[in-house]
Amino acid sequence: MKALLFYRLPKRLLDIVVSLVALVVFSPIFLVIAVWIKCSKGTSHVFYSQDRVGQYGKEFKIYKFQSMVDNADGILQSDQALYKKFVDNGYKLPTKEDPRITKIGAVLRRTSLDELPQFWNTLRGNMSIIGPRPVVEKELVEYGSQERIDKFLSAKPGVFGLWQASGRSNIGYPERAQIELDYVEKSNLALDFKILFMTVIAIFKGDGAY
């Protein structure tokens, strides 16, 4: 209990400080991206929100910059073969094969700039800077038993995480699930800082970003 206190309290304080600084420092970038999206074809929204499963199973809305066309979910589900590939590929599609992605969206995803609004999620407390990536409810089946699902959901989801740092979309299920569970089991501040450093490198390499 004491060990958790000495981890979770400074982690939460760090989340607040980092997210506040990031929202202020990146505000000019937010403005540029927002104007760019509004001037682009294919979408009428600057931000994208989606229900994700958070800590202890509590749902919340995750925020991103819009990288897809309007009615993206309808487009995906209308093509059964494409939707099956989407599910089989860990609920993702390569950008070049995804008819939902706009031109600016491809850039935002490759650079991970679409994730910047999640610092707002961190400030609100439903996400952390580092943690397992939040999933939609139907993805929980990939974690297997209820015991593994409960273990995964015991941690607050993160803007960045060990899965992203290890290769992002190049790593699918079930390996992704095991990586996330390994983080939950071993999580500590030293590991969080290591993951943050690894994530910066992964973002610059652009490997597995889609």
Side-chain angles (χ1 to χ4, degrees):
M1 184 68 181
K2 187 179 291 186
L4 286 175
L5 180 64
F6 279 106
Y7 172 53
R8 290 183 177 176
L9 181 58
K11 182 180 176 75
R12 179 58 189 149
L13 291 174
L14 191 63
D15 285 343
I16 293 171
V17 172
V18 171
S19 56
L20 274 173
V21 171
L23 288 169
V24 172
V25 170
F26 292 135
S27 57
I29 298 177
F30 272 65
L31 181 59
V32 170
I33 293 174
V35 172
W36 191 8
I37 292 173
K38 289 299 288 185
C39 293
S40 301
K41 295 180 180 180
T43 182
S44 56
H45 304 285
V46 172
F47 296 102
Y48 171 78
S49 66
Q50 185 183 48
D51 290 333
R52 297 289 179 98
V53 184
Q55 190 174 29
Y56 306 126
K58 183 178 179 180
E59 287 195 350
F60 70 99
K61 286 193 179 296
I62 192 173
Y63 294 98
K64 298 184 178 186
F65 279 117
Q66 182 63 273
S67 62
M68 297 185 288
V69 298
D70 294 337
N71 192 34
D73 291 337
I75 291 172
L76 179 62
Q77 293 175 8
S78 66
D79 188 328
Q80 293 185 356
L82 191 66
Y83 184 74
K84 184 179 185 303
K85 184 172 184 178
F86 170 75
V87 174
D88 292 344
N89 197 46
Y91 300 86
K92 289 183 177 293
L93 286 170
T95 300
K96 292 181 180 179
E97 299 178 31
D98 197 331
R100 304 170 299 163
I101 308 300
T102 62
K103 289 184 178 179
I104 179 177
V107 175
L108 294 176
R109 288 188 172 208
R110 187 170 63 251
T111 57
S112 294
L113 288 172
D114 62 320
E115 310 281 3
L116 288 180
Q118 287 164 43
F119 285 116
W120 174 245
N121 286 116
T122 304
L123 188 61
R124 294 183 63 188
N126 43 38
M127 289 183 70
S128 180
I129 299 298
I130 303 295
R133 282 298 291 167
V135 299
V136 295
E137 187 176 5
K138 58 189 173 185
E139 269 186 89
L140 290 175
V141 68
E142 303 290 347
Y143 286 81
S145 68
Q146 188 60 48
E147 182 180 358
R148 284 167 60 88
I149 293 173
D150 290 343
K151 181 179 179 180
F152 171 67
L153 295 178
S154 68
K156 189 176 291 187
V159 177
F160 308 114
L162 185 57
W163 166 68
Q164 285 172 301
S166 301
R168 291 194 276 186
S169 297
N170 286 335
I171 301 174
Y173 291 115
E175 186 180 355
R176 171 181 170 174
Q178 190 56 56
I179 288 173
E180 300 284 39
L181 291 171
D182 286 345
Y183 168 78
V184 175
E185 186 174 324
K186 301 173 183 176
S187 56
N188 57 69
L189 285 176
L191 179 58
D192 285 355
F193 279 109
K194 179 181 178 181
I195 291 171
L196 187 59
F197 178 73
M198 291 169 62
T199 301
V200 171
I201 294 175
I203 289 173
F204 276 105
K205 288 174 65 177
D207 194 26
Y210 59 84

